[in-house]
């Protein structure tokens, strides 16, 4: 092809897909200077009732613990027992116009919180679904914390959840091949945006990058 566009992230693109390309070594070395973004945990929730019966709308919810986002995020990343700096809640099934036809009397919800890959270091060498009781207990405690936020901001959903499952940065690593379970590739800090070489065009003719 004359034109190729990669959407698997700049790290994966140049370390996995183009690892035998010699003429981009300097470009690859620049990539190594950038930090990955932090990870996330996502609680996937199911209901055995329709969104209409549950009173669910399709509006996303961004729930912050403070207006000082930098401070609350820093505090939380140093101690994840601290309040979540943000909880993002969305209702995917309510955005699908064919959902009620294909999946009657059901609805879904996703709740996302930030987390650090370092919190999961002790389980990195264990395989999916076989990480042991301690890992499952850790996930359950985090799940219950998230569920409390779901209920406090959506009291009409209290005790209506029929199913939930939590993904962690290890899930992101294993399913999407991001080494540190990063949520958005490179960290979105000022230093990253000062890199004038970091743009859709690459040193390889006809080869471009796009966001995930």
């Amino acid at each position: 092809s004359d034109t190729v566009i990669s959407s698997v992230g700049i790290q994966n693109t140049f370390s996995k897909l183009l690892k035998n390309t010699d003429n981009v070594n300097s470009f690859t070395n620049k990539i190594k200077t950038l930090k990955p973004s932090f990870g996330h945990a996502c609680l996937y929730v199911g209901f055995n009732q329709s969104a209409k019966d549950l009173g669910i709308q399709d509006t996303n919810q961004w729930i912050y613990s403070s207006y000082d986002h930098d401070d609350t995020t820093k505090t939380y990343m140093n101690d994840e027992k601290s309040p979540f700096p943000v909880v993002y809640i969305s209702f995917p099934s309510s955005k699908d116009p064919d959902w009620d036809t294909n999946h009657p009397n059901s609805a879904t919800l996703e709740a996302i919180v930030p987390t650090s890959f370092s919190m999961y270091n002790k389980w990195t060498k264990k395989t999916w679904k076989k990480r042991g009781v301690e890992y499952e207990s850790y996930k359950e405690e985090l799940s219950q914390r998230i569920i409390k936020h779901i209920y406090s901001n959506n009291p009409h959903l209290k005790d209506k959840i029929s199913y939930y499952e939590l993904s962690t940065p290890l899930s992101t690593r294993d399913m999407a091949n991001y080494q540190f379970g990063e949520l958005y590739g490179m960290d979105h800090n000022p230093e990253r945006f000062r890199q004038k070489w970091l743009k859709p065009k690459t040193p390889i003719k006809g080869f471009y990058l796009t966001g995930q």
Side-chain angles (χ1 to χ4, degrees):
S1 176
D2 292 333
T3 303
V4 176
I5 303 172
S6 172
S7 64
V8 300
I10 191 170
Q11 288 280 20
N12 279 337
T13 299
F14 282 87
S15 66
K16 301 289 195 305
L17 303 184
L18 298 173
K19 58 185 177 182
N20 297 322
T21 304
D22 296 328
N23 63 341
V24 294
N25 286 340
S26 62
F27 190 79
T28 303
N29 289 334
K30 289 178 181 178
I31 296 171
K32 293 177 182 177
T33 66
L34 300 177
K35 294 181 1 183
S37 60
F38 51 67
H40 75 293
C42 180
L43 190 69
Y44 300 91
V45 176
F47 302 93
N48 285 333
Q49 292 177 256
S50 69
K52 182 178 180 180
D53 290 342
L54 290 165
I56 290 177
Q57 304 296 318
D58 62 359
T59 305
N60 297 334
Q61 299 176 358
W62 295 83
I63 304 156
Y64 294 94
S65 59
S66 164
Y67 283 107
D68 194 339
H69 308 313
D70 289 341
D71 182 63
T72 53
T73 300
K74 182 178 179 180
T75 299
Y76 176 76
M77 286 302 176
N78 289 325
D79 177 13
E80 293 203 350
K81 297 292 185 182
S82 303
F84 297 129
V86 61
V87 180
Y88 168 76
I89 299 176
S90 67
F91 305 91
S93 59
S94 297
K95 300 175 184 179
D96 181 355
D98 296 323
W99 180 269
D100 288 335
T101 301
N102 296 326
H103 310 282
N105 301 314
S106 66
T108 66
L109 176 156
E110 291 179 1
I112 295 175
V113 298
T115 188
S116 171
F117 190 79
S118 63
M119 298 298 296
Y120 302 85
N121 280 337
K122 66 175 73 175
W123 301 296
T124 55
K125 294 183 179 179
K126 295 186 177 182
T127 57
W128 183 50
K129 297 293 186 182
K130 297 180 181 179
R131 296 191 174 115
V133 174
E134 186 182 13
Y135 177 70
E136 295 302 326
S137 296
Y138 187 88
K139 286 176 61 179
E140 179 61 19
E141 181 180 349
L142 185 55
S143 296
Q144 292 303 322
R145 288 182 63 191
I146 296 172
I147 288 173
K148 285 183 179 179
H149 278 273
I150 294 173
Y151 287 161
S152 64
N153 290 274
N154 301 273
H156 55 291
L157 299 179
K158 186 169 177 57
D159 300 326
K160 300 292 179 64
I161 291 175
S162 59
Y163 175 84
Y164 63 89
E165 183 174 358
L166 186 78
S167 70
T168 71
L170 295 181
S171 312
T172 308
R173 181 198 66 179
D174 294 348
M175 308 299 176
N177 203 32
Y178 285 100
Q179 183 179 357
F180 300 106
E182 54 266 40
L183 174 57
Y184 285 123
M186 297 293 96
D187 193 12
H188 292 203
N189 57 16
E191 181 183 3
R192 172 252 179 90
F193 290 103
R194 292 191 188 105
Q195 309 302 315
K196 294 184 179 180
W197 57 269
L198 186 57
K199 52 190 176 183
K201 188 176 181 180
T202 74
I204 301 172
K205 184 178 179 181
F207 187 61
Y208 300 89
L209 303 170
T210 186
Q212 63 180 6

